[in-house]
Amino acid sequence: MLAVRQALRRSHAVASLSAYLTNFPAQKGFGNSCPTHIATSASAHAVGDSTRTGSLDLFDRQLKRAHRNRAALLQTADDPLLVAVTEALLDRLEDCKRTFPTVAVLGGAGNVVTSRLTNGRAGITKVLQMDISPGMLQKDQALAQASARRSAQNKPEVHFIEGDEESLPFKAGSIDLIVSCLSCHWVNDLPGMLQQCRRALKPDGLFLAAMFGGDTLHELRVSCNLAEEELQGGVSQRVSPLAQVRDCGSLLTVGGFNIPAVDVDDITIHYKDFQGVVNHLRALGESNAVRTKQPLMRKATAQRAAAIYKERFEDQDSSTLPATFQVLYMTGWAPHASQQQPARRGSATVSFEDLQDALKEQSDKAGNPK
């Protein structure tokens, strides 16, 4: 009977996923304690194939998969940075009046996101959690099963999918909400990925994303650059290039989203020492994955970088080293007829010149009351 129940559970999961995924040739690791399993999408087998994303090939996706596999062994479930970014991102759901029955969660802080989509939040009943890393998915599945046994919370049906953000496996118009928390900054063709997200969303579907911005880890960047320039006479790219705030609105527009919104927040984490910064980045899976091979930093250079970091940035009150993470939050909606539309060109009844004159007259009256 147990074998029959497991076979039925597998059959139900496959049928359930077929409505959302274009192709998933192999399934593995079906859970017994809660409705979760891991599916391998076709995109997972194409990791590192830059031909599918055009000529952009800045990041080594195979290396990033290895980084995340390692992070699965090091990362804690309550990492303060992941929790802070996830909660700030999901707070945007509280401003939405509509519900999102089916949500796709892409990489990054996937488990932290999924664990906060309980008790019917935003009307969510099904979660498709995708990651490039099989190790991270296995860890997240185990955490989900343990949580289901401990808690009586109303939890959505969760499916774990091994896949690549650069080649999303979702069918067009099948998803109500896509959440990408701290994974977009490692995507080679970000405009292409956003276009895929928009196609996967149903009309009036919502896209939420958080990614690290260009001022992230400026303390580490400065310290490494100064140390290398001082001891080696040149500078290597030790910190990955990241998007700027000014780029995000254009990215959403190019991706085909309506009502784009972008905002930024700086989160500062304090560490005991320089090695603590490096260890945390490894646990986050945020080690440098730029495809251009960089020479390993010499021991003397690393020691000098640590000294510069302490000299320039140490918090004197706490004797800790701060590291700044600039987080860019993006919101966009898949087009729908019910959304607010811009006015027809030429339909304005007041010119900017008239408006400027009226404001000037109002300002003059305020400055010279009778």
Side-chain angles (χ1 to χ4, degrees):
M1 289 297 295
L2 177 60
V4 172
R5 286 197 298 270
Q6 289 176 339
L8 287 174
R9 183 182 294 126
R10 180 186 294 268
S11 176
H12 171 74
V14 171
S16 179
L17 279 181
S18 66
Y20 305 99
L21 301 187
T22 55
N23 188 18
F24 50 107
Q27 292 81 37
K28 54 188 178 181
F30 282 70
N32 297 324
S33 301
C34 59
T36 64
H37 76 282
I38 298 176
T40 305
S41 74
S43 71
H45 301 289
V47 173
D49 178 8
S50 61
T51 59
R52 69 187 188 285
T53 57
S55 59
L56 297 175
D57 197 21
L58 179 61
F59 303 117
D60 187 334
R61 298 290 291 172
Q62 289 282 12
L63 180 57
K64 185 46 56 184
R65 170 190 273 172
H67 288 165
R68 289 191 61 75
N69 280 335
R70 178 180 63 185
L73 304 175
L74 303 173
Q75 193 177 109
T76 61
D78 57 349
D79 184 282
L81 178 61
L82 299 185
V83 170
V85 175
T86 297
E87 292 184 346
L89 181 63
L90 294 182
D91 277 349
R92 286 152 175 79
L93 291 176
E94 309 308 319
D95 299 326
C96 300
K97 296 181 180 180
R98 61 156 297 181
T99 59
F100 305 95
T102 302
V103 54
V105 178
L106 308 183
N111 177 68
V112 185
V113 173
T114 298
S115 67
R116 283 159 174 75
L117 300 178
T118 57
N119 291 328
R121 185 174 190 177
I124 294 168
T125 59
K126 188 189 299 288
V127 176
L128 311 179
Q129 183 178 328
M130 192 191 84
D131 202 294
I132 195 175
S133 160
M136 191 66 74
L137 288 172
Q138 290 165 8
K139 174 189 176 181
D140 290 348
Q141 183 188 31
L143 289 172
Q145 291 174 343
S147 175
R149 289 191 292 268
R150 287 193 313 267
S151 172
Q153 283 184 322
N154 177 25
K155 297 180 183 295
E157 179 182 337
V158 182
H159 299 272
F160 295 93
I161 302 163
E162 183 184 343
D164 187 0
E165 293 92 338
E166 295 189 351
S167 184
L168 296 179
F170 306 116
K171 289 183 177 179
S174 63
I175 308 294
D176 298 289
L177 167 67
I178 293 178
V179 180
S180 174
C181 188
L182 300 180
S183 67
C184 286
H185 52 277
W186 291 115
V187 173
N188 281 301
D189 183 8
L190 189 50
M193 179 256 193
L194 294 179
Q195 290 170 359
Q196 291 183 61
C197 287
R198 192 257 304 155
R199 284 195 294 269
L201 286 170
K202 296 177 182 178
D204 205 32
L206 176 62
F207 174 74
L208 292 177
M211 65 178 178
F212 290 132
D215 289 341
T216 295
L217 297 174
H218 67 84
E219 302 94 344
L220 180 63
R221 195 189 310 266
V222 168
S223 300
C224 291
N225 286 351
L226 290 176
E228 286 193 307
E229 183 68 36
E230 179 182 318
L231 298 183
Q232 299 176 206
V235 174
S236 299
Q237 192 171 46
R238 299 296 175 184
V239 179
S240 168
L242 297 166
Q244 301 295 325
V245 181
R246 60 180 178 272
D247 302 325
C248 294
S250 298
L251 286 169
L252 289 168
T253 301
V254 170
F257 290 102
N258 283 351
I259 322 175
V262 178
D263 56 297
V264 60
D265 188 22
D266 286 343
I267 299 176
T268 303
I269 306 292
H270 290 262
Y271 301 89
K272 180 180 178 181
D273 52 29
F274 184 83
Q275 191 60 45
V277 179
V278 176
N279 290 344
H280 190 206
L281 292 177
R282 288 174 178 165
L284 293 172
E286 294 294 338
S287 298
N288 196 349
V290 174
R291 185 172 291 278
T292 303
K293 298 301 180 183
Q294 304 292 328
L296 293 175
M297 181 176 283
R298 300 172 187 173
K299 182 178 180 179
T301 305
Q303 291 173 338
R304 181 58 184 143
I308 293 173
Y309 203 125
K310 183 178 177 66
E311 292 166 6
R312 285 180 169 250
F313 302 107
E314 183 181 36
D315 185 312
Q316 298 300 320
D317 294 332
S318 62
S319 297
T320 58
L321 299 183
T324 301
F325 295 86
Q326 183 187 55
V327 185
L328 310 180
Y329 297 96
M330 299 189 294
T331 305
W333 294 85
H336 188 264
S338 66
Q339 294 167 357
Q340 184 176 359
Q341 302 294 321
R344 179 176 55 83
R345 185 178 179 86
S347 62
T349 58
V350 178
S351 70
F352 280 109
E353 184 177 349
D354 292 339
L355 181 60
Q356 185 178 21
D357 291 342
L359 290 173
K360 185 177 185 302
E361 181 179 350
Q362 183 178 8
S363 176
D364 290 343
K365 288 181 179 179
N368 299 284
K370 294 183 179 179

